[in-house]
């Protein structure tokens, strides 16, 4: 109930008036029944704008810590995240990835929409990075269709490292459903999982127009930080650096 209160009364109308998000391909999302919405990830605001364009509820997994923090702050945090479509990772799994898979299956088992970011983390530079194979495993084990999704413009509204950037009209593009039933029973084949994941990422790239990088986003972020640190150290140790500091 709180989900619909936020979407239809408290938060949704405000976001629609201020940002006026648009969408394409809504008819590719089934009116009922389970489906996986596999999206690119440019900003923390992605999970707000994508569900805003759909008449159905969309659920995502979130860290369990968001739901079990003690005190008044924890209570508000728990109800906000749960009400906005986030669900805690099931900790009965052997690890976080397994727990997320269990939670996702529960959502799909109820005939609902499940949203996932195959990159695993937000892109730090606007490019599209290699997808993790969890989305493929989920698709093959449940047999539900995968809807590729591209969210465009959210990195302008809320750029990496900033709470707010500039006003723009975010757009959400939904691609045609992908059917992987031809791989039924092959969910333990890592080559099949990689092939399915790459097919999903290709469709997301095609929809978003992003440059694709065959590297995991987390690793790319680490390398970018190392390069920035090396550049700062080089600048500090270069001739004339002390004069620049003094000036």
């Amino acid at each position: 109930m709180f989900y619909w209160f936020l979407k239809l009364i408290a938060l949704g109308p405000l976001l629609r008036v201020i940002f006026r998000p648009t969408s394409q391909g809504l008819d590719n999302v089934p009116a009922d029944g389970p489906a996986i919405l596999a999206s690119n990830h440019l900003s923390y605001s992605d999970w707000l704008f994508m569900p805003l364009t759909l008449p159905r509820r969309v659920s995502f997994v979130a860290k369990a810590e968001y739901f079990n923090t003690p005190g008044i702050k924890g209570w508000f945090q728990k109800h906000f995240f749960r009400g906005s479509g986030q669900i805690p990772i099931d900790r009965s799994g052997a690890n976080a990835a397994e727990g997320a898979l269990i939670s996702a299956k529960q959502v799909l088992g109820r005939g609902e929409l499940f949203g996932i970011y195959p990159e695993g983390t937000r892109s730090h530079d606007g490019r599209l990075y290699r997808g993790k194979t969890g989305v493929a495993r989920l698709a093959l084990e449940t047999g539900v269709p995968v809807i590729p999704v591209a969210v465009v413009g959210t990195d302008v509204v809320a750029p990496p490292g900033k709470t707010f950037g500039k006003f723009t009209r975010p757009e959400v593009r939904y691609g045609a459903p992908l059917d992987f039933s031809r791989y039924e029973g092959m969910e333990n084949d890592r080559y099949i999982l990689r092939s399915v994941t790459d097919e999903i990422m290709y469709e997301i790239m095609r929809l978003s127009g992003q440059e694709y990088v065959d590297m995991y986003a987390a690793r790319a972020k680490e390398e970018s930080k190392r390069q920035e640190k090396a550049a700062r150290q080089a600048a500090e140790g270069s001739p004339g650096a002390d004069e620049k500091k003094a000036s």
Side-chain angles (χ1 to χ4, degrees):
M1 181 63 75
F2 189 51
Y3 176 90
W4 297 110
F5 171 75
L6 287 175
K7 183 173 181 176
L8 301 178
I9 300 175
L11 188 58
L14 184 65
L15 292 174
R16 286 192 179 93
V17 169
I18 294 175
F19 296 103
R20 298 180 298 148
T22 61
S23 62
Q24 292 182 16
L26 280 176
D27 55 335
N28 287 318
V29 182
D32 51 54
I36 300 167
L37 301 177
S39 175
N40 62 336
H41 201 9
L42 293 172
S43 165
Y44 71 84
S45 64
D46 293 337
W47 62 271
L48 290 173
F49 287 107
M50 190 241 278
L52 197 63
T53 63
L54 292 170
R56 299 181 60 186
R57 177 185 176 119
V58 183
S59 296
F60 301 82
V61 293
K63 293 186 295 186
E65 288 77 7
Y66 291 151
F67 300 86
N68 55 25
T69 302
I72 296 177
K73 178 183 177 181
W75 186 90
F76 279 104
Q77 182 174 273
K78 170 184 175 181
H79 283 79
F80 175 79
F81 277 100
R82 192 178 295 277
S84 58
Q86 313 293 304
I87 57 174
I89 292 175
D90 190 321
R91 291 301 185 181
S92 64
N95 51 50
E98 184 66 25
L101 191 63
I102 294 172
S103 296
K105 287 180 179 179
Q106 292 171 352
V107 172
L108 296 171
R110 296 193 296 266
E112 300 175 5
L113 298 176
F114 178 74
I116 188 171
Y117 301 110
E119 292 169 278
T121 187
R122 295 191 299 269
S123 171
H124 70 287
D125 59 4
R127 296 187 292 177
L128 184 70
Y129 286 89
R130 194 179 200 211
K132 295 187 176 182
T133 58
V135 62
R137 183 177 296 278
L138 181 62
L140 297 188
E141 290 188 3
T142 61
V144 305
V146 178
I147 314 294
V149 182
V151 183
V152 180
T154 51
D155 55 336
V156 177
V157 173
K162 295 183 179 180
T163 303
F164 181 74
K166 301 177 182 178
F167 284 99
T168 191
R169 296 188 70 179
E171 182 176 20
V172 186
R173 303 166 184 167
Y174 299 94
L178 302 175
D179 177 16
F180 297 108
S181 58
R182 62 189 182 278
Y183 298 124
E184 183 179 359
M186 305 176 73
E187 60 272 10
N188 293 319
D189 187 320
R190 63 191 181 95
Y191 295 105
I192 294 296
L193 293 178
R194 173 46 55 194
S195 176
V196 169
T197 303
D198 288 346
E199 183 174 340
I200 294 170
M201 299 309 294
Y202 176 81
E203 290 301 318
I204 294 175
M205 179 191 70
R206 190 179 61 80
L207 287 168
S208 68
Q210 291 171 272
E211 177 186 349
Y212 179 76
V213 182
D214 193 21
M215 177 190 298
Y216 290 117
R219 179 184 171 191
K221 284 183 180 180
E222 291 176 359
E223 290 196 0
S224 177
K225 289 179 181 178
R226 283 198 297 268
Q227 291 173 1
E228 290 175 1
K229 182 178 179 180
R232 286 196 302 268
Q233 291 174 340
E236 290 172 357
S238 63
D242 292 336
E243 289 81 353
K244 291 179 181 178
K245 286 183 179 179
S247 62

